[in-house]
Each structure stands twice: as C-alpha cells, then as structure tokens.
C-alpha cells in the first residue's frame, strides 16, 4: 500500500512538472520570437537611418559648397559697395543680403562678424561652431540613431539566443520527466525526477538572465 501511495505521488509530481515545463517552454519560445522580430525591426530601422545619414551628409557637403559660393559673392558685393556711390552702394548691399539669404541661416551672423574684421583670414564663417552644428546636425543625428538601433538589435538578438539555450535545457527536463512517467522502478524514477527538476531550475535560471 505504501509503494502504491508513493507511486501515486510521483505520478502527480511528474504530471504537474510536465505541465509547468510545457507552459514555461511555450512562454520562453513566444518571448524569444518576439525579441527576434524586435531585433529584425531595429536592424531594419538602423539601416534606414544610416542611409538617410549618408544622404544628409552628401546634402550638407553640397550646402557647404553653396555657402562658400554665397560667401564669396557677398564679399565681392560688400567690397564693391565700399568703393561705390551711395545709390550703387545700397544696391550692392541688397545683393549682399540676397546672397546671405540663400545660404544656410546660421551663416549670416558669422559672415557679418567676418566682414567687420575686414575679412580676416583667421576668422572664416564656415569654421563657426554654430554654423557647423547647423550644417551637420541632421546627418549626425541620423547616424547616432542608426548606432543606437543597431546596438538595440544586438541586445535583442542576444536575449533571444539565451532563451533558445534555455529552451534546450527545458527540452531535456521534459525528456527526463517523460521517461520518469513510464519507468516503474521507484528508486530510478525518483532520481530521474530529481535530475528533471534540476534541469528545469537550470533552464529557468538561464532564461532569467535574458531579462
């Protein structure tokens, strides 16, 4: 009677553990799949941001060349204004403002400061920190976003990999409880259950490190 009761208890433990491990494994597989999709989305967004960053960098270089041309034209008109009659000088000043108006907005103030120094070679407007920041802020921001999302993709991929490894250990635990259920030798069955519990706990502990 005692052996029958013990066997019944082991049957209950085996059945409960099979259910618990099955649910745990299913949840881990679902989370791993979700993280894999998230990793792929981050990677796709990173590639898009990198492409935009390259395009914006090309555009920034093009705008810089246009700004250099506008600077040169504005300087020529300013120099002409200083040696012209008042009415002609006013027309040249309008042309100066027109050239600055088509340039990058942050160029106008450094250019005026440059003109006030007599166009000093040591004070070039394109070297002004605010102007440079305005010029490169878009390509730099997209480049940074690309780096951040690529890093997030790697993190998600690593988390998914950990859950995949945990799933293998949980599969071992399912196998052990499965063979425990058909083994009629009570001592052997008990040791198989113990090993199954150890494998299950090891899988849970490994899966926990992914979070």
């Amino acid at each position: 009677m005692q052996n029958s009761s013990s066997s019944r208890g082991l049957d209950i433990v085996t059945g409960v553990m099979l259910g618990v491990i099955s649910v745990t494994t299913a949840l881990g597989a679902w989370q791993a799949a979700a993280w894999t999709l998230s990793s792929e989305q981050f990677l796709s967004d990173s590639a898009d941001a990198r492409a935009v960053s390259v395009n914006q960098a090309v555009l920034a270089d093009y705008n810089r060349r246009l700004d250099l041309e506008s600077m040169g034209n504005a300087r020529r008109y300013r120099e002409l204004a200083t040696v012209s009659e008042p009415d002609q000088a006013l027309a040249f000043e309008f042309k100066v403002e027109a050239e600055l108006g088509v340039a990058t907005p942050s160029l106008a103030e450094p250019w005026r400061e440059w003109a006030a120094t007599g166009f000093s070679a040591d004070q070039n407007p394109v070297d002004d920190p605010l102007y440079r920041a305005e010029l490169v802020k878009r390509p730099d921001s997209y480049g940074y976003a690309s780096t951040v999302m690529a890093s997030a993709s790697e993190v998600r991929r690593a988390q998914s990999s950990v859950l995949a490894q945990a799933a293998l250990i949980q599969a071992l635990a399912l196998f052990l409880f499965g063979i425990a259920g058909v083994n009629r030798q009570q001592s052997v069955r008990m040791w198989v259950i113990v090993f199954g519990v150890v494998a299950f706990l090891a899988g849970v502990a490994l899966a926990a490190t992914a979070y």
Side-chain angles (χ1 to χ4, degrees), residues 103-186:
T104 301
S106 57
L107 180 68
E109 188 59 33
W111 188 92
R112 293 190 180 95
E113 294 175 359
W114 184 46
T117 65
F119 303 107
S120 170
D122 299 331
Q123 188 176 345
N124 195 318
V126 295
D127 294 329
D128 182 77
L130 293 179
Y131 167 76
R132 292 175 63 86
E134 179 69 22
L135 199 64
V136 302
K137 68 179 182 181
R138 289 180 66 84
D140 283 0
S141 62
Y142 278 106
Y144 178 73
S146 176
T147 300
V148 170
M149 287 186 285
S151 177
S153 176
E154 290 295 330
V155 170
R156 284 288 182 261
R157 185 180 295 110
Q159 290 176 309
S160 179
S161 177
V162 170
L163 287 185
Q165 296 171 35
L168 291 176
I169 299 177
Q170 299 288 19
L172 173 61
L174 281 173
F175 171 75
L176 291 173
F177 279 103
I179 64 175
V182 298
N183 196 317
R184 293 296 95 189
Q185 293 186 17
Q186 189 168 335

Side-chain angles (χ1 to χ4, degrees), residues 50 66 80 107 115 118 122 132 142 145 193 204:
R50 184 167 57 253
L66 291 181
L80 289 172
L107 180 68
D122 299 331
R132 292 175 63 86
Y142 278 106
I193 289 175
V204 171

Side-chain angles (χ1 to χ4, degrees), residues 17 21 24-25 28 159 161-174 195-211:
M17 290 304 299
I21 297 173
T24 303
T25 304
Q159 290 176 309
S161 177
V162 170
L163 287 185
Q165 296 171 35
L168 291 176
I169 299 177
Q170 299 288 19
L172 173 61
L174 281 173
F195 288 137
V197 171
V198 171
F200 168 69
L201 294 177
V204 171
L206 179 60
T209 63
Y211 293 88

